[in-house]
Short mmCIF file of all heavy atoms in Angstrom, two decimals:
data_model
loop_
_atom_site.label_atom_id
_atom_site.label_comp_id
_atom_site.label_asym_id
_atom_site.label_seq_id
_atom_site.Cartn_x
_atom_site.Cartn_y
_atom_site.Cartn_z
N GLY A 129 99.98 114.57 98.82
CA GLY A 129 101.18 114.20 98.00
C GLY A 129 101.06 112.96 97.27
O GLY A 129 102.08 112.44 96.66
N ILE A 130 99.87 112.21 97.23
CA ILE A 130 99.68 111.02 96.55
C ILE A 130 100.00 111.26 94.98
O ILE A 130 99.53 112.24 94.48
CB ILE A 130 98.54 110.23 96.78
CG1 ILE A 130 98.44 108.86 96.07
CG2 ILE A 130 97.23 111.16 96.40
CD1 ILE A 130 97.47 107.94 96.68
N GLN A 131 100.70 110.42 94.23
CA GLN A 131 100.99 110.55 92.84
C GLN A 131 100.19 109.69 91.99
O GLN A 131 99.89 108.51 92.27
CB GLN A 131 102.54 110.28 92.67
CG GLN A 131 103.33 111.14 93.34
CD GLN A 131 103.28 112.65 93.07
OE1 GLN A 131 103.48 113.05 91.83
NE2 GLN A 131 102.94 113.55 94.02
N LYS A 132 99.72 110.14 90.86
CA LYS A 132 98.93 109.40 89.77
C LYS A 132 97.68 108.84 90.23
O LYS A 132 96.63 109.30 89.92
CB LYS A 132 99.94 108.25 89.25
CG LYS A 132 100.95 108.86 88.33
CD LYS A 132 101.92 107.91 87.84
CE LYS A 132 101.42 107.06 86.63
NZ LYS A 132 102.67 106.32 86.09
N TYR A 133 97.74 107.71 90.94
CA TYR A 133 96.45 107.20 91.51
C TYR A 133 96.66 106.29 92.64
O TYR A 133 97.75 105.63 92.76
CB TYR A 133 95.61 106.48 90.42
CG TYR A 133 96.29 105.97 89.14
CD1 TYR A 133 97.07 104.87 89.15
CD2 TYR A 133 96.11 106.70 87.98
CE1 TYR A 133 97.77 104.48 88.05
CE2 TYR A 133 96.73 106.26 86.88
CZ TYR A 133 97.57 105.11 86.98
OH TYR A 133 98.18 104.70 85.71
N SER A 134 95.63 106.00 93.39
CA SER A 134 95.65 105.12 94.57
C SER A 134 95.31 103.76 93.84
O SER A 134 94.22 103.62 93.29
CB SER A 134 94.62 105.46 95.48
OG SER A 134 94.37 104.42 96.40
N MET A 135 96.17 102.73 93.97
CA MET A 135 95.98 101.50 93.26
C MET A 135 95.62 100.28 94.08
O MET A 135 95.94 100.22 95.29
CB MET A 135 97.22 101.20 92.48
CG MET A 135 97.60 102.18 91.39
SD MET A 135 99.16 101.78 90.53
CE MET A 135 100.20 102.43 91.80
N ALA A 136 94.83 99.36 93.50
CA ALA A 136 94.64 98.08 94.01
C ALA A 136 94.89 96.87 93.09
O ALA A 136 94.47 97.06 91.88
CB ALA A 136 93.16 98.05 94.57
N MET A 137 95.63 95.97 93.51
CA MET A 137 95.96 94.91 92.74
C MET A 137 94.65 93.84 92.59
O MET A 137 93.89 93.89 93.44
CB MET A 137 97.13 94.13 93.29
CG MET A 137 98.49 94.97 93.11
SD MET A 137 98.85 95.18 91.36
CE MET A 137 99.64 96.77 91.41
N PRO A 138 94.87 92.92 91.73
CA PRO A 138 93.72 91.95 91.53
C PRO A 138 93.31 91.14 92.66
O PRO A 138 92.29 90.50 92.79
CB PRO A 138 94.17 91.10 90.19
CG PRO A 138 95.54 91.31 90.09
CD PRO A 138 95.88 92.72 90.59
N ASP A 139 94.32 90.98 93.66
CA ASP A 139 94.06 90.13 94.96
C ASP A 139 93.51 91.05 95.93
O ASP A 139 93.55 90.58 97.10
CB ASP A 139 95.35 89.38 95.15
CG ASP A 139 96.59 90.28 95.44
OD1 ASP A 139 96.60 91.37 94.78
OD2 ASP A 139 97.47 89.89 96.16
N ALA A 140 93.16 92.23 95.73
CA ALA A 140 92.93 93.23 96.73
C ALA A 140 91.66 92.81 97.65
O ALA A 140 90.73 92.18 97.12
CB ALA A 140 92.56 94.66 96.22
N HIS A 141 91.84 93.05 98.90
CA HIS A 141 90.60 92.80 99.87
C HIS A 141 90.92 93.75 101.03
O HIS A 141 91.90 94.44 101.17
CB HIS A 141 90.42 91.39 100.24
CG HIS A 141 91.63 90.74 100.86
ND1 HIS A 141 91.87 90.55 102.21
CD2 HIS A 141 92.87 90.22 100.30
CE1 HIS A 141 92.96 89.89 102.42
NE2 HIS A 141 93.61 89.78 101.24
N LEU A 142 89.86 93.74 101.94
CA LEU A 142 89.96 94.70 103.09
C LEU A 142 91.11 94.65 104.03
O LEU A 142 91.45 93.40 104.28
CB LEU A 142 88.58 94.45 103.80
CG LEU A 142 88.08 95.67 104.55
CD1 LEU A 142 87.66 96.69 103.50
CD2 LEU A 142 86.79 95.29 105.36
N GLY A 143 91.84 95.61 104.39
CA GLY A 143 92.94 95.67 105.24
C GLY A 143 92.79 96.70 106.35
O GLY A 143 91.77 97.37 106.41
N TYR A 144 93.84 96.93 107.07
CA TYR A 144 93.91 97.93 108.06
C TYR A 144 94.11 99.35 107.43
O TYR A 144 95.29 99.52 107.05
CB TYR A 144 94.89 97.56 109.12
CG TYR A 144 95.03 98.61 110.29
CD1 TYR A 144 94.31 98.41 111.46
CD2 TYR A 144 95.83 99.70 110.24
CE1 TYR A 144 94.30 99.36 112.49
CE2 TYR A 144 95.95 100.72 111.24
CZ TYR A 144 95.17 100.48 112.39
OH TYR A 144 95.31 101.40 113.38
N GLY A 145 93.18 100.09 107.31
CA GLY A 145 93.34 101.48 106.65
C GLY A 145 93.51 101.30 105.13
O GLY A 145 92.58 101.58 104.33
N PHE A 146 94.59 100.96 104.65
CA PHE A 146 94.87 100.67 103.35
C PHE A 146 94.36 99.17 103.00
O PHE A 146 94.48 98.35 103.82
CB PHE A 146 96.32 100.69 102.98
CG PHE A 146 96.99 101.99 103.04
CD1 PHE A 146 97.15 102.74 104.15
CD2 PHE A 146 97.64 102.58 101.89
CE1 PHE A 146 97.77 104.00 104.33
CE2 PHE A 146 98.36 103.74 101.85
CZ PHE A 146 98.32 104.50 103.11
N SER A 147 93.93 98.98 101.81
CA SER A 147 93.48 97.56 101.44
C SER A 147 94.69 96.73 101.37
O SER A 147 95.74 97.34 100.99
CB SER A 147 92.64 97.59 100.18
OG SER A 147 93.50 97.87 99.11
N ILE A 148 94.57 95.51 101.61
CA ILE A 148 95.62 94.58 101.20
C ILE A 148 95.53 94.46 99.69
O ILE A 148 94.51 94.30 99.06
CB ILE A 148 95.37 93.25 101.86
CG1 ILE A 148 95.68 93.40 103.30
CG2 ILE A 148 96.30 92.14 101.36
CD1 ILE A 148 95.07 92.35 104.25
N GLY A 149 96.79 94.48 99.02
CA GLY A 149 96.82 94.61 97.54
C GLY A 149 96.79 96.03 97.11
O GLY A 149 96.68 96.33 96.01
#
Side-chain angles (χ1 to χ4, degrees):
I130 185 164
Q131 300 296 303
K132 284 172 83 169
Y133 21 73
S134 164
M135 292 178 282
M137 291 295 149
D139 54 335
H141 55 101
L142 212 61
Y144 181 92
F146 291 62
S147 72
I148 291 163

